[in-house]
Amino acid sequence: MIANAAPVALSDDELAGVSGRDGVTLAVHLELDTTLTAGFMVGGTKTYAVVQGLGGVLDLFTITLDVRSRPDGADYIDIGLPGFIGAKQFGFKALGAQTDPTAPVAPSASYGQLMLNGTAAMTGHVFLWAAP
């Protein structure tokens, strides 16, 4: 059976009353092969944080996302950690801060590298709520 309906705008009160039962479950398959740069003004000089060789494959199964209510009535976001994490050559080859965003990060100027291979399992939740 297929059901079709047009979207309906909800007020904040109506939206707060919507229940998604078990929330949202996400599965992530991420493949990267790039360089990441972010520019900042430092002492009047444009400086770039450069992550070179950012790439690899990362799988996360499953991340849950739900909105719950505390006993005092306040709502919070419940993020369930992934039960499976798989990494294949996932990480970066160099991390540096420099004034030229296109120049390679020199080995002597690199803050290091990170490369993950393997699998892991996690349990637990992260709770996020607004401060009073």
Side-chain angles (χ1 to χ4, degrees):
M1 178 178 215
I2 297 174
N4 292 314
V8 176
L10 300 175
S11 69
D12 287 345
D13 290 336
E14 291 170 321
L15 189 57
V18 172
S19 173
R21 199 172 140 173
D22 290 331
V24 176
T25 301
L26 305 170
V28 176
H29 176 79
L30 181 63
E31 295 186 33
L32 295 174
D33 183 14
T34 192
T35 294
L36 179 67
T37 60
F40 305 92
M41 289 298 284
V42 178
T45 303
K46 186 76 168 196
T47 304
Y48 296 88
V50 179
V51 181
Q52 288 183 332
L54 177 62
V57 178
L58 183 68
D59 291 307
L60 304 169
F61 303 118
T62 58
I63 302 166
T64 59
L65 180 63
D66 203 351
V67 176
R68 301 197 187 277
S69 294
R70 298 188 322 205
D72 67 1
D75 292 334
Y76 65 95
I77 298 173
D78 177 352
I79 303 170
L81 299 177
F84 172 83
I85 301 170
K88 181 178 179 185
Q89 294 293 331
F90 187 79
F92 57 89
K93 295 183 172 109
L95 172 65
Q98 55 197 37
T99 56
D100 183 354
T102 61
V105 175
S108 62
S110 177
Y111 296 124
Q113 62 182 341
L114 174 69
M115 197 61 59
L116 301 174
N117 281 302
T119 61
M122 299 177 77
T123 60
H125 295 259
V126 174
F127 302 136
L128 302 174
W129 61 88

